[in-house]
Each structure stands twice: as C-alpha cells, then as structure tokens.
Amino acid sequence: MYPFTLERPRDVSEATRLGSADSAAYIAGGTDMMQLLTDEILHPDHLVALDGLLDARIEVTPDQALRLGGAARMSDIADDPDVAAVFPVIAEALLLSASGQVRNMATIGGNLLQRTRCPYFRDPGVHACNKRRPGAGCAAMDGANRTLAVLGTSPHCIATNASDVAVALVAVGAQVHVRGPGGDRVIALEDLYRLPGDTPQIETVLEPGELITAVVVPPSPAARNSTYLKVRDRTSFEFALTSAAVGLDIADGVIRSAGVAMGGVGTKPWRMPLVEEALIGRPAGEETYRDAARYATEGAVTREGNRLKPELMKRTLVRALSVVGGRA
Ligand code: SF4
C-alpha cells in the first residue's frame, strides 16, 4: 500500500475542505476503498475519514417519500420494515448485493460511488486501462468482457457500473443531496453518473470535495409494487450479468405508471424511458411485457464475450415485470 495521511475532520465542512485537496479521497464504510488501497489501484496522498460525521437515519415520511442519510448502512436500510413495504425494490436490491458482512459496513453514499469491477481496472498488473491510466488503451475491448457493458459504452471504456441499489434508486427517481466547499446541491441520481466518452477516468459530475449527504426518493405508487431481479453466475456475493428494477402501478388491469431500470448492462445504472412508455396505458400481461422489453436493448453495442446480454436483458425484464404484474 502507498503511504497516505489519515485526516479526521471534526465536521462535514472541514471534511469537504480537506476532501477538495489534490489527491484526497474519502473513506466511510471502507468496503471498496480498502480493496482499492491494498491492491494499489488508488493511491491518494490524503484519506479523509467520514465516520461519525454524516447522517445515518432512514425515514419513510407520512406522504411515503424516503430519505436516507448518506451514512445509512446497507443492512439497516434493507432491514427497515417501512422501506421493505413502500420501496421493496430498494430492500431487495440491497439484500442481493455483496455479503452480509459487507452490507453491515457499507454506507449508501459509498455504495453509489463504488468503482467498477472490470477485472482489468482491478488488476494493477494490467497497463491498458484508460480509467486508471488515461490514454493507455482498454484491455477489455478484445479481452474478457463477458460481464461488461453494452449500453453507454465508448471506444475508450466498456466498464459496467457495479451497484445494485443504484439501479433500484434510478428506477424510482431518486435524487442525491451533495455538499461541497461551494455549498449544497441536489442531483437526480441518474445524472450523477457520466458516460465514459473519452474521459472514462471521470465517473461522476461531483466536484472536488463534494460528498453525498442524503438520498431522497419521492412518493411513487409504482414503487410500492416493485421488485429487483438479479441474474448472476452464482447466487451469492456476485455481481449482475443483468438485473432489472421494475415497478408498476396497475389499476383495473391497466398499467398507469411504470419505473424501469437495468443493471449489469450499462456504464451507469440505466433507466429505460422507452420501456416505461411502452408499458403505460397497456393491459398488464405477458404480451405487453414482451412488447415493451424489445426497447430495452435499443442502442446496445456488444463485444465478443458479452453477446449474450441483449437476449438476457429482455428475458430478465419480462420475468421481473411478470412478478410485479402478478402481484397487482
Ligand atoms: Fe479500464 Fe474501462 Fe477498459 Fe475496463 S473497460 S480496462 S475499466 S478502460
């Protein structure tokens, strides 16, 4: 591990000041950061510890919005009975993430900012990774890319966003509240993430020193009838090949509103507005789900190893929609 100083700020303002310094990084639960440090993928000069500084409360308000403090633990959110009742897609996505031990430590803010699991990004012995070494090339293009993205890719990077709960939160229209040296601002979670383009090393729109203080989800009838389906190579401690976060508001057999996002397939959590439009106003049922799922793969670009994904995406989506459709 490279040497660094450990900074222990007294409050969030001091943290953002320290965190905006050149070569500074935050650490909260540490479940991803410790791996990145010990594998020498990241080597910040200053590590700014956030433990004890950020809000960790979990609150479902009387109007059925959800507010998560940035330091809320994954396991606490998943175990919250109000979250499970009003936003089942969020609880399910969390329970299908990582392991129990990791969920006990990891914070929601850290989860949303975790780095990709592209095997070449995580291997310091590989030189050709534009995300780690801008301009060095991309070993994944013609390498082991079965798990990598088919949506939002660029000629410079095809790394998949690894977060499950980010997919669920995008499907229900979550916003993140961030604070930095310049003050507070609110960003739609979907807009937090940047596409790789020709600068894959810049993954979010966060400015130096900005950190996530809260995640807020508006009330949504579709979220109440929602689920998260994750398809992966083994049933535990594995990242998604494909996943679907779906919510349907159905009345008298007709879909009134829908929230749909997919994971394991995009360089960011991928909301699917064309699928949502194709669902709304149609009768709930398999024919509607199959018709709508055709739009999920619009714009998909595959490589040799991940050609299975477009078909798997459609099947994953139809199955998830059938689950929530069958509950209504
Ligand atoms: Fe690096 Fe992205 Fe290529 Fe993976 S896909 S090797 S993260 S540039």
Side-chain angles (χ1 to χ4, degrees):
M1 201 186 300
Y2 289 87
F4 55 83
T5 65
L6 180 63
E7 312 287 350
R8 290 200 165 277
R10 283 158 301 176
D11 53 34
V12 177
S13 295
E14 188 181 358
T16 59
R17 185 176 57 75
L18 293 167
S20 63
D22 280 350
S23 195
Y26 290 121
I27 185 166
T31 53
D32 192 25
M33 181 56 79
M34 286 306 296
Q35 284 182 48
L36 294 164
L37 292 173
T38 54
D39 291 343
E40 300 188 341
I41 305 301
L42 295 185
H43 29 86
D45 292 333
H46 312 287
L47 202 57
V48 182
L50 298 176
D51 48 310
L53 297 186
L54 294 174
D55 185 6
R57 282 173 295 182
I58 300 163
E59 184 187 12
V60 175
T61 61
D63 66 346
Q64 303 206 319
L66 173 64
R67 187 184 187 286
L68 306 170
R73 305 275 172 190
M74 290 171 70
S75 52
D76 291 336
I77 303 166
D79 290 345
D80 188 287
D82 292 336
V83 174
V86 182
F87 296 96
V89 67
I90 296 173
E92 291 174 22
L94 286 165
L95 287 172
L96 292 171
S97 304
S99 65
Q101 293 91 336
V102 169
R103 294 195 294 270
N104 286 340
M105 286 300 297
T107 65
I108 188 70
N111 180 294
L112 297 179
L113 297 176
Q114 67 181 285
R115 307 298 299 276
T116 182
R117 262 59 186 180
C118 171
Y120 302 107
F121 175 77
R122 296 269 167 175
D123 183 348
V126 173
H127 181 82
C129 176
N130 287 322
K131 200 181 269 299
R132 264 192 294 111
R133 297 170 186 264
C138 173
M141 287 293 169
D142 298 311
N145 48 38
R146 181 170 173 272
T147 61
L148 299 185
V150 297
L151 292 171
T153 59
S154 81
H156 305 282
C157 183
I158 55 172
T160 318
N161 182 288
S163 173
D164 290 296
V165 73
V167 179
L169 288 166
V170 162
V172 294
Q175 297 177 321
V176 287
H177 291 225
V178 305
R179 180 172 301 172
D184 294 346
R185 63 185 177 128
V186 178
I187 308 168
L189 178 59
E190 195 182 356
D191 299 333
L192 175 70
Y193 302 101
R194 288 169 46 116
L195 296 177
D198 57 6
T199 53
Q201 74 278 13
I202 306 172
E203 295 175 344
T204 71
V205 300
L206 293 180
E207 300 289 340
E210 283 189 323
L211 49 79
I212 294 174
T213 55
V215 178
V216 175
V217 187
S220 154
R224 222 174 215 293
N225 182 35
S226 61
T227 196
Y228 187 74
L229 176 64
K230 182 174 182 178
V231 177
R232 48 186 165 168
D233 284 330
R234 56 182 185 186
T235 54
S236 158
F237 212 3
E238 185 57 278
F239 295 93
L241 273 175
T242 59
S243 69
V246 302
L248 294 178
D249 174 28
I250 300 171
D252 300 324
V254 175
I255 299 167
R256 292 197 301 195
S257 63
V260 178
M262 294 200 78
V265 295
T267 52
K268 63 185 223 175
W270 208 264
R271 187 148 190 178
M272 306 242 158
L274 293 179
V275 174
E276 293 171 357
E277 282 170 31
L279 290 165
I280 294 168
R282 297 276 311 273
E286 186 157 337
E287 190 182 337
T288 296
Y289 307 149
R290 285 191 187 282
D291 283 350
R294 288 186 292 123
Y295 295 100
T297 56
E298 195 122 311
V301 177
T302 59
R303 310 289 302 180
E304 177 71 26
N306 62 11
R307 289 201 177 128
L308 77 166
K309 289 210 175 188
E311 181 60 27
L312 194 57
M313 287 168 69
K314 287 186 258 185
R315 293 182 186 209
T316 306
L317 196 47
V318 169
R319 203 167 113 202
L321 289 165
S322 299
V323 168
V324 292
R327 281 185 198 153

